[in-house]
Amino acid sequence: MRTLWVVGAVLAGVLLAGCGDPRSAPAEPAPAAPQASSPSPTRQRAPAASPSPPAVRAPRVLYLGDSLAMEAQKVLGQELRRELKAEYTSAPYSGTTLCDYLEGTGERSLVPAADKAAALVRRLRPDVVVLQFWGNSWGYTPCMDGLTYTASRSRYFTRYAADARRLTEQIAAAGAGRRPRIVWVAQGPDPITPDRVRRVNALYEERAGTSGDLVADAGKAVSPAGARHTWTRYLPCTAQERARPGYCTQPGRGRTALHRADDPLHFCLAPTTSRPRPCPVPSPGILRIARAITETVRHGTARPLQ
């Protein structure tokens, strides 16, 4: 247990450094939509006119989370804009957990009042709120009141489930009649406390099922085939990674790196810095996670938006 605590303390510093920008990332203008191609001519008699289906507009997406979201925020924005023409805003903060985004935590939170989840929902009116949290278990965010996974697992999970419920309720209330859909991001394998991440992901599934929201199983995209909760540093290159320079990091062996040798939790292949930032180098794990989230947002907004 002491060894686990020491490893956790070292990784806590890495988690606090992260790879993201602690300030809200401004949404860039969405690219122009491509012109639709002309329909092919037909010799058949045209059917009777029917009402046109409602137009599906580009979704407004808000992305919140900890250092995993910080390092991925730029890539996710690129994917959402290219695939869905989304209006995108991100406001991740390193070292945070669910309670940091709850209104009412005040100075005990690492997230300022203006960037609380409910405050951003009221201001931005998003259609989708994506929440990506590894699950703070080391007690370095004040709003956790010193509660850690190693000290009391039952209390840790009870508190985490309660915070997930409260965050869902605050986001829903802030929608003021136009509730955004929440997408919980299921995490990849945890090499330090493997059972913890299984249970955190299960809490996301339970919360989404209870409130009618969604889970993006991004963790599956960074896990070996058939071994969802087995941690690995390398995976076989995908066709997309082989086609993109810098993404198939070991082309001779057909493998790509997900993690740095000195950081088994983050997916940015650049060294961490004292000032968090979006990942500045091609990182296959981040791209895989971003694509999984984008597909879930696509399915969640397939119906016409209000």
Side-chain angles (χ1 to χ4, degrees):
M1 182 65 70
R2 179 175 176 82
T3 301
L4 178 60
W5 183 89
V6 172
V7 173
V10 173
L11 283 172
V14 175
L15 283 164
L16 282 169
C19 284
D21 192 331
R23 295 172 298 180
S24 299
E28 299 174 9
Q35 294 184 349
S37 56
S38 300
S40 301
T42 177
R43 296 178 183 275
Q44 299 177 356
R45 176 179 294 180
S50 58
S52 300
V56 178
R57 63 171 172 79
R60 290 191 289 268
V61 180
L62 173 63
Y63 184 40
L64 309 176
D66 55 20
S67 56
L68 294 178
M70 290 179 171
E71 66 182 7
Q73 61 182 314
K74 182 177 179 180
V75 175
L76 178 60
Q78 291 170 344
E79 291 297 308
L80 287 169
R81 293 185 188 106
R82 182 174 66 247
E83 297 295 326
L84 307 180
K85 307 298 184 287
E87 298 177 28
Y88 171 76
T89 303
S90 60
Y93 286 80
S94 280
T96 57
T97 191
L98 301 181
C99 62
D100 286 292
Y101 281 90
L102 288 171
E103 291 190 320
T105 48
E107 295 180 355
R108 296 169 51 250
S109 171
L110 301 179
V111 175
D115 285 347
K116 300 293 190 183
L120 289 171
V121 168
R122 285 191 291 268
R123 185 164 78 243
L124 300 172
R125 307 289 289 169
D127 303 297
V128 178
V129 178
V130 179
L131 302 173
Q132 181 168 11
F133 292 90
W134 173 78
N136 182 320
S137 63
W138 307 112
Y140 48 72
T141 182
C143 65
M144 285 293 287
D145 302 315
L147 180 60
T148 65
Y149 171 76
T150 53
S152 176
R153 297 186 182 187
S154 61
R155 289 180 58 214
Y156 167 79
F157 288 118
T158 299
R159 169 66 184 276
Y160 204 84
D163 286 346
R165 175 182 54 79
R166 288 181 61 201
L167 191 57
T168 298
E169 291 171 350
Q170 289 190 2
I171 289 172
R178 198 172 68 85
R179 181 193 188 280
R181 201 87 180 268
I182 297 173
V183 173
W184 295 93
V185 181
Q187 299 306 304
D190 184 341
I192 304 165
T193 53
D195 183 61
R196 185 199 59 80
V197 80
R198 289 174 182 260
R199 294 187 62 179
V200 166
N201 287 343
L203 287 174
Y204 293 156
E205 291 279 359
E206 180 180 1
R207 172 45 41 199
T210 300
S211 57
D213 291 308
L214 301 171
V215 173
D217 193 0
K220 184 177 181 180
V222 290
S223 304
R228 170 64 178 81
H229 293 285
T230 299
W231 184 90
T232 183
R233 185 182 171 195
Y234 297 98
L235 281 178
C237 299
T238 65
Q240 294 88 347
E241 287 163 354
R242 288 192 293 269
R244 297 179 67 161
Y247 278 87
C248 190
T249 52
Q250 294 185 322
R253 303 176 66 181
R255 302 194 309 174
T256 192
L258 301 179
H259 306 278
R260 288 174 53 85
D262 58 353
D263 185 351
L265 297 180
H266 293 97
F267 295 90
C268 183
L269 297 183
T272 57
T273 61
S274 58
R275 185 180 186 277
R277 58 180 178 170
C279 188
V281 300
S283 297
I286 290 177
L287 182 59
R288 291 179 182 220
I289 288 170
R291 284 181 167 165
I293 295 172
T294 298
E295 282 307 302
T296 302
V297 173
R298 183 199 304 276
H299 293 310
T301 58
R303 65 182 185 279
L305 298 170
Q306 299 297 318

